[in-house]
Amino acid sequence: MIRNILVSQPQPSTPKNPYAEMAEKYGVKFTFRPFIKIEGVSVHEFRKQRVDVLKHTAIVFTSRHAIDNFFKIVGEMRLKMPDTMKYFATSESVALYIQKFVQYRKRKVFFGTTGKVDDLVPVMAKHKSEKYLVPQNDTTDGHFLKKLDEKGLKHTDCVMYRTVSVPVTKEEVFDNDMVVLFTAAGVETLVSSFPGFEQSVLRIATLGNAARIAAEEKGLRIDVVAPLPKQPSITGAIADYLDEEIERGRQSAETKTSTKATEDEEKLRRRAAAKKAAETKRRRQLLNEQLASYQEEVQAHRAHAEDARSRGEVLKRNAEALKKQMEEAQKAYEEARRLADRTTREAEKARREMREAQARVDLVNAELEELEAQIVKKKAPARTSTVSKKADKPATEVKPKVTVSKTKSATTTKKATETKVSSARPKTAATTVKVKATKPATPAKALSKSASTATKKATTSAAKKETTKAKAKKTTTKTK
């Protein structure tokens, strides 16, 4: 039998509400404990979305949280909403909440009839020329935006607030017989607060498709579902479930057999629920392992891609450096080639000059040989006359005694002979050798001229010495 029910919402502000009526009718206790909380985004985060509020002509609100956080951001950004701005809301209560921030006028506030976003779209379609701004939660499923796209309405969505989980304790949950969930984030909070969560006999009630789908994905057993065609509200669906529980309890009190059967059925149901929960847990663990494996692969691929990108950058830099080096080497090669050509030309020129110099040297040598030959021819008759004179002298002539050393006597004799030779050819010393010039004055010809001059000087000095010695000899002879 259900006695305590945990509602994952804030407590109603008014004492008269459906929960208070059920508590009085069925004798159950409701505990209100939010599983989530709403946090508005900062101005800095909103500006990152690059949304210009004043460029839109209509604002669409799907909840009071959207209204609170929208006008909070507008106030912090110091934007003044124009009087021509139109407002659309999912229900009349949400539309009336707008007057807390702006002056309420019927001609610029529009709302749906049932409180569902699907009923608001036809109202918006009547104003196709408007540019709609849709503030919403970060966990929206995009169903409302798809409806707007189908109608061809111009709209911009932006995140004005986010849902944050508020963890709960084990006592807060399992001290109750039923937990009422309203959002997918609430389902996530319930499961994530208890690692290895097992539902067991705990009843789960959900409102809305998002909460129901999230509970089914987490492997939870849903006992109460809303909205339904007969019961659109969660309080009505819980009331029907309590009526069924009371009816089952009444029938079980009538007969023990039925009570035992109900207990057996409850045990079987609990076993089946425990088995299903264990299977769900096992599947969840398997999925978590697969997810971890996929994440590792993704990280490895990212690291490989980053490594390849860095290697590509290094290769690119190396290619650029090699290209520069090749250009520099090409320039150096061209310069070396030009230098080699110039060196080759200079070497060829030097070889030509050497050949010309060698030719001139050969010519000079030939001229010198010719001069030496002429000199030898001139010297031969002089030596012959000197010998004949020595032979004609009388044998009774006594040589004067000279007190000089043997070496000095030999030297005097040699000089006397040279004097006789030179006196025998006075014309040869004075004769000038003429050399035909085949070319303009060259170093070789200058050399030949200097050699002829030196020869003339030497011959003249030798002749003078011989003449002096002959005079001295005559003086000596007369004295004796």
Side-chain angles (χ1 to χ4, degrees), residues 106-140:
K106 289 185 178 181
R107 64 176 180 273
K108 66 175 185 178
V109 179
F110 308 90
F111 52 87
T113 56
T114 61
K116 297 180 180 180
V117 293
D118 293 344
D119 295 330
L120 179 61
V121 175
V123 179
M124 296 172 62
K126 296 178 182 179
H127 305 269
K128 279 196 171 183
S129 61
E130 305 294 341
K131 295 181 179 179
Y132 294 97
L133 178 64
V134 187
Q136 55 184 348
N137 196 348
D138 60 339
T139 59
T140 182

Side-chain angles (χ1 to χ4, degrees), residues 285-300:
Q285 291 177 351
L286 181 61
L287 290 174
N288 289 335
E289 292 176 358
Q290 292 178 354
L291 179 60
S293 177
Y294 292 152
Q295 289 177 347
E296 291 178 358
E297 291 179 0
V298 169
Q299 292 295 335

Side-chain angles (χ1 to χ4, degrees), residues 184-225:
V187 176
E188 181 65 27
T189 300
L190 177 63
V191 175
S192 62
S193 297
F194 310 106
F197 175 79
E198 294 183 4
Q199 183 177 352
S200 186
V201 296
L202 183 66
R203 276 83 162 182
I204 300 294
T206 60
L207 175 63
N209 291 329
R212 178 180 59 80
I213 294 171
E216 290 176 352
E217 290 178 352
K218 297 296 182 181
L220 300 180
R221 184 187 71 255
I222 303 174
D223 299 286
V224 181
V225 179

Side-chain angles (χ1 to χ4, degrees), residues 377-398:
K377 288 180 181 180
K378 295 293 183 180
K379 285 182 178 182
R383 291 177 180 175
T384 303
S385 61
T386 304
V387 172
S388 61
K389 284 180 179 182
K390 288 182 180 181
D392 292 339
K393 286 182 179 183
T396 58
E397 184 177 354
V398 180

